[in-house]
Amino acid sequence: MNYDVENIKNAAIAEVEGASDLKQIDDIRIKYLGKKGEITQLMKTMGALPADERPAFGAIVNSARGAVEDALNAKKAAMESVAIQNKMLSEKIDVTMPGVKPVLGSVHPLTKVLNQIKQIFVGMGFVIAEGPEVEKDYYNFDALNIPPTHSARDEDDTFYIDGFDDVLLRTQTSSVQIRVMEHQKPPIRMVAPGRVYRSDAVDATHSPMFHQIEGLVVDKGVTMADLKGTLSDFVNNLYGEKIDVRFRPHHFQFTEPSAEMDISCPNCGGKGCNVCKGEGWIEILGAGMVHAKVLERCGIDPNVYSGFAFGLGLERIAMRSLGINDLRLFYENDVRFLNQF
Ligand code: DAH
């Protein structure tokens, strides 16, 4: 009997020695010391012994159990300390290493100029409005007094949405004028920046997607003088007091009268240079008094109210402001370019 105990104990300790992970240690514990474990079972055979032999046998089994437990605990502790050691080695940090500098992003130049423009108009009491880029032709054309036969509706200029003959990618932010006037009665003073789309081939000055900023003011007694004053102020805020403006008669379907506004060339001060192509002036926006038919269609009485509107191209202004001669740079997002702003 005692011989068996010794054998089992030795076998258990040998297994513990050979164990190579914590799972094996657990398995060995169960195999020998668990409820049905070999050493636990030995204890149960004690009842078959004569009463006077039981205490001695019990002591032997208990000491075997203790020896196996000690071996298991020691092996487990050794394994855990090796694991911690390895973890510490693999996670070692050299605190003397120079830090990795995070790369700082920058605001996109178009966003930067747009923010400047928005700030100027908000300072004058305008609110920022928004409209959808996927638009119904009613808002992009009809309501702006652009009849179905007008060349701007030509498929060549406009992207229509497949499967619809009345849904398109807006070609101008002027559509937002209509959406605002439909829901808001005068006084209205809003600017609506956003993307517009035209089927143009890409080159240094054209892109099938670009940005416009629309402006609209409607109230009682608004005149062309308000238009001129507001837009001159805007230009002086953006480019400085030295810049002059001039208005040239023009035609837009949705304004009457209509005008284009030029600014004196910020590069040469009006003498003529390669930026203004020797003209001394640069065109920056279209504008005019909102056409009576447009007001009427939005339920605003043109006998009571009048208004002016304008639309400017963000890329053009940003190119002038930042001295950039190729529009494509704005969309390529080369960080060497973007980091300069
Ligand atoms: N929508 C015009 C364009 O894309 C620009 C424009 C001109 C907007 C005159 C206006 C305006 O609001 O009054 O060319």
Side-chain angles (χ1 to χ4, degrees):
M1 249 337 194
N2 294 352
Y3 181 72
D4 277 352
V5 177
E6 192 64 17
N7 274 349
I8 291 174
K9 180 186 87 177
N10 289 341
I13 290 174
E15 277 184 44
V16 171
E17 290 309 321
S20 56
D21 61 37
L22 291 169
K23 163 95 176 53
Q24 284 178 10
I25 292 287
D26 268 350
D27 291 345
I28 295 166
R29 192 184 295 278
I30 291 165
K31 180 174 171 192
Y32 290 97
L33 308 179
K35 249 190 205 157
K36 292 184 180 158
E38 290 181 29
I39 292 181
T40 315
Q41 291 304 106
L42 281 175
M43 220 36 155
K44 289 182 185 159
T45 62
M46 200 157 70
L49 291 176
D52 60 340
E53 286 180 21
R54 286 179 198 163
F57 181 72
I60 292 168
V61 175
N62 269 336
S63 120
R65 183 179 189 92
V68 173
E69 248 166 20
D70 287 349
L72 281 165
N73 290 342
K75 184 74 178 182
K76 191 174 175 186
M79 277 180 178
E80 282 170 349
S81 103
V82 168
I84 289 173
Q85 210 95 40
N86 286 342
K87 196 168 179 209
M88 295 222 292
L89 279 175
S90 71
E91 290 178 3
K92 191 165 76 173
I93 295 172
D94 180 354
V95 292
T96 64
M97 290 256 287
V100 181
K101 254 196 180 171
V103 182
L104 270 191
S106 55
V107 177
H108 193 281
L110 283 180
T111 309
K112 216 170 180 169
V113 175
L114 174 60
N115 286 344
Q116 265 178 308
I117 294 174
K118 283 204 277 194
Q119 211 175 356
I120 294 171
F121 282 111
V122 167
M124 292 179 179
F126 284 68
V127 296
I128 309 289
E130 262 183 38
E133 290 172 27
V134 178
E135 186 55 285
K136 300 198 80 166
D137 65 358
Y138 174 79
Y139 291 98
N140 197 79
F141 294 130
D142 293 273
L144 288 161
N145 200 29
I146 300 170
T149 50
H150 197 281
S151 64
R153 291 203 177 204
D154 209 321
E155 283 266 6
D156 285 348
D157 295 329
T158 308
F159 290 117
Y160 280 86
I161 302 295
D162 279 351
F164 298 88
D165 51 15
D166 61 344
V167 184
L168 43 76
L169 292 180
R170 70 180 176 196
T171 62
Q172 49 185 352
T173 46
S174 301
S175 54
V176 186
Q177 288 186 30
I178 308 301
R179 291 194 169 267
V180 167
M181 284 191 281
E182 268 186 352
H183 289 105
Q184 192 191 329
K185 292 306 143 211
I188 294 169
R189 222 180 278 147
M190 71 91 182
V191 279
R195 292 192 182 95
V196 297
Y197 302 84
R198 289 182 198 177
S199 176
D200 278 330
V202 178
D203 63 26
T205 53
H206 291 88
S207 157
M209 185 285 296
F210 56 101
H211 299 78
Q212 288 186 333
I213 300 149
E214 193 75 15
L216 175 70
V217 172
V218 184
D219 204 350
K220 287 179 181 159
V222 175
T223 69
M224 193 87 184
D226 296 308
L227 180 161
K228 288 172 112 175
T230 305
L231 294 177
S232 310
D233 256 12
F234 161 69
V235 164
N236 290 141
N237 266 305
L238 189 65
Y239 290 109
E241 293 293 333
K242 288 201 182 118
I243 303 294
D244 281 335
V245 299
R246 74 175 183 191
F247 291 83
R248 284 178 290 101
H250 201 77
H251 172 77
F252 296 106
Q253 286 291 127
F254 38 91
T255 45
E256 182 58 38
S258 305
E260 275 190 335
M261 187 176 92
D262 299 336
I263 57 170
S264 57
C265 177
N267 190 50
C268 64
K271 288 190 209 82
C273 66
N274 61 345
V275 173
C276 58
K277 301 195 180 80
E279 304 237 332
W281 295 93
I282 295 169
E283 181 237 313
I284 69 156
L285 59 81
M289 299 305 292
V290 182
H291 201 294
K293 278 192 188 165
V294 174
L295 291 174
E296 236 162 32
R297 231 186 248 262
C298 299
I300 295 175
D301 186 349
N303 295 314
V304 179
Y305 295 103
S306 56
F308 69 84
F310 54 92
L312 45 105
L314 178 62
E315 280 78 357
R316 272 193 180 195
I317 294 204
M319 283 167 84
R320 302 269 147 69
S321 302
L322 306 171
I324 291 158
N325 56 12
D326 193 326
L327 180 75
R328 288 168 289 199
L329 289 168
F330 287 134
Y331 310 124
E332 283 162 359
N333 286 330
D334 184 328
V335 286
R336 290 168 302 179
F337 170 73
L338 297 179
N339 277 344
Q340 297 174 42
F341 304 98

